[in-house]
Amino acid sequence: PGMEIASFGIGSQRTDHSVKDAKDKLVISMNAGLGIDPSEIRLVGTEDVSDNWFNLTFEIPNKKVLLDKLRWAAIYKESWLSLCGVKSVTIGNESQILLQPVTRSLSLTIQAGELSI
Protein backbone atom coordinates (compact mmCIF):
# COMPACT_ATOMS: atom_id res chain seq x y z
CA PRO A 1 0.00 0.00 0.00
CA GLY A 2 2.99 2.36 0.06
CA MET A 3 3.77 5.09 2.56
CA GLU A 4 1.79 7.91 4.15
CA ILE A 5 3.08 11.17 5.58
CA ALA A 6 2.48 11.83 9.27
CA SER A 7 3.55 15.15 10.77
CA PHE A 8 3.94 15.76 14.51
CA GLY A 9 4.08 19.23 16.06
CA ILE A 10 6.44 19.07 19.04
CA GLY A 11 6.22 21.71 21.74
CA SER A 12 8.76 22.03 24.49
CA GLN A 13 9.34 24.45 27.30
CA ARG A 14 12.98 23.34 27.37
CA THR A 15 15.06 25.08 24.74
CA ASP A 16 17.58 22.22 24.79
CA HIS A 17 14.96 19.78 23.48
CA SER A 18 16.68 18.47 20.37
CA VAL A 19 15.14 17.28 17.14
CA LYS A 20 17.18 14.07 17.40
CA ASP A 21 15.87 13.30 20.91
CA ALA A 22 12.30 13.97 19.82
CA LYS A 23 12.71 11.82 16.70
CA ASP A 24 14.22 8.92 18.65
CA LYS A 25 11.48 9.11 21.30
CA LEU A 26 8.74 9.24 18.68
CA VAL A 27 10.10 6.25 16.74
CA ILE A 28 10.27 4.19 19.95
CA SER A 29 6.77 5.34 20.93
CA MET A 30 5.25 4.63 17.50
CA ASN A 31 6.75 1.16 17.78
CA ALA A 32 5.23 0.62 21.24
CA GLY A 33 1.96 2.51 20.73
CA LEU A 34 1.17 1.59 17.13
CA GLY A 35 3.25 -1.51 16.52
CA ILE A 36 5.21 0.04 13.62
CA ASP A 37 8.62 -1.52 13.14
CA PRO A 38 11.27 1.22 13.48
CA SER A 39 12.71 0.16 10.12
CA GLU A 40 9.37 1.22 8.52
CA ILE A 41 9.53 4.77 9.94
CA ARG A 42 11.53 7.37 8.04
CA LEU A 43 12.04 10.99 9.05
CA VAL A 44 11.53 13.06 5.89
CA GLY A 45 11.54 16.60 7.25
CA THR A 46 11.96 18.94 10.20
CA GLU A 47 10.72 22.50 10.45
CA ASP A 48 11.19 25.09 13.17
CA VAL A 49 7.91 26.88 13.81
CA SER A 50 8.97 28.99 16.80
CA ASP A 51 11.41 28.87 19.72
CA ASN A 52 9.60 26.08 21.52
CA TRP A 53 7.80 24.41 18.64
CA PHE A 54 8.98 22.33 15.69
CA ASN A 55 7.44 19.84 13.29
CA LEU A 56 8.76 16.37 12.55
CA THR A 57 7.45 14.75 9.38
CA PHE A 58 7.71 10.99 8.92
CA GLU A 59 6.82 8.46 6.29
CA ILE A 60 4.95 5.57 7.88
CA PRO A 61 3.28 2.53 6.30
CA ASN A 62 -0.01 3.44 4.60
CA LYS A 63 -2.11 0.80 6.35
CA LYS A 64 -5.68 1.68 7.31
CA VAL A 65 -5.53 -0.05 10.70
CA LEU A 66 -2.31 1.73 11.59
CA LEU A 67 -3.48 5.17 10.43
CA ASP A 68 -6.78 4.69 12.31
CA LYS A 69 -4.79 3.85 15.46
CA LEU A 70 -2.69 7.00 15.09
CA ARG A 71 -5.79 9.13 14.45
CA TRP A 72 -7.48 7.60 17.51
CA ALA A 73 -4.35 8.17 19.63
CA ALA A 74 -4.31 11.85 18.65
CA ILE A 75 -8.04 12.44 19.11
CA TYR A 76 -8.05 10.75 22.53
CA LYS A 77 -4.71 12.34 23.50
CA GLU A 78 -2.98 9.08 24.36
CA SER A 79 -0.22 9.47 26.92
CA TRP A 80 2.58 8.19 24.66
CA LEU A 81 2.06 11.21 22.41
CA SER A 82 2.18 13.73 25.24
CA LEU A 83 5.24 12.03 26.73
CA CYS A 84 6.99 12.76 23.42
CA GLY A 85 5.95 16.43 23.60
CA VAL A 86 3.49 16.05 20.70
CA LYS A 87 1.04 18.96 20.49
CA SER A 88 -0.49 18.20 17.09
CA VAL A 89 -0.75 15.39 14.55
CA THR A 90 -1.45 15.65 10.82
CA ILE A 91 -1.94 12.56 8.69
CA GLY A 92 -1.53 13.06 4.95
CA ASN A 93 -3.65 15.98 3.79
CA GLU A 94 -6.21 15.65 6.60
CA SER A 95 -6.95 18.39 9.08
CA GLN A 96 -4.48 18.85 11.89
CA ILE A 97 -5.54 17.27 15.19
CA LEU A 98 -4.53 19.50 18.11
CA LEU A 99 -3.77 17.73 21.37
CA GLN A 100 -3.91 20.97 23.30
CA PRO A 101 -5.12 24.47 22.53
CA VAL A 102 -2.69 26.62 20.61
CA THR A 103 -1.69 29.48 22.89
CA ARG A 104 -2.06 33.05 21.77
CA SER A 105 1.70 33.58 21.86
CA LEU A 106 2.20 30.65 19.48
CA SER A 107 -0.47 31.75 17.04
CA LEU A 108 1.20 35.16 16.80
CA THR A 109 4.46 33.52 15.70
CA ILE A 110 2.92 31.92 12.62
CA GLN A 111 3.46 34.23 9.67
CA ALA A 112 0.40 34.93 7.53
CA GLY A 113 2.37 33.95 4.43
CA GLU A 114 2.95 30.45 5.79
CA LEU A 115 -0.73 29.63 6.10
CA SER A 116 -2.10 27.55 3.28
CA ILE A 117 -5.81 27.41 2.69
Side-chain angles (χ1 to χ4, degrees):
M3 303 298 274
E4 180 60 274
I5 296 292
S7 190
F8 299 85
I10 311 287
S12 171
Q13 295 314 304
R14 296 187 358 254
T15 50
D16 62 344
H17 194 70
S18 80
V19 168
K20 185 188 180 319
D21 289 346
K23 175 205 170 271
D24 292 347
K25 248 200 224 179
L26 257 175
V27 167
I28 291 165
S29 295
M30 282 193 272
N31 174 239
L34 302 174
I36 309 177
D37 189 289
S39 68
E40 296 184 292
I41 303 170
R42 192 167 74 90
L43 182 68
V44 293
T46 61
E47 175 194 17
D48 285 322
V49 180
S50 71
D51 286 348
N52 297 329
W53 186 285
F54 55 91
N55 290 329
L56 295 179
T57 302
F58 292 89
E59 278 185 347
I60 61 173
N62 188 359
K63 298 177 185 159
K64 183 178 179 347
V65 171
L66 185 119
L67 298 176
D68 285 348
K69 266 189 186 174
L70 176 56
R71 201 174 288 113
W72 189 92
I75 291 168
Y76 293 97
K77 301 171 178 46
E78 283 195 356
S79 60
W80 66 266
L81 286 167
S82 54
L83 290 171
C84 291
V86 174
K87 305 298 185 200
S88 68
V89 176
T90 308
I91 301 168
N93 58 5
E94 297 176 14
S95 297
Q96 184 179 58
I97 302 167
L98 290 176
L99 277 67
Q100 71 174 43
V102 176
T103 61
R104 185 163 189 275
S105 60
L106 175 65
S107 63
L108 292 175
T109 64
I110 299 171
Q111 301 300 312
E114 292 176 19
L115 298 176
S116 55
I117 297 172

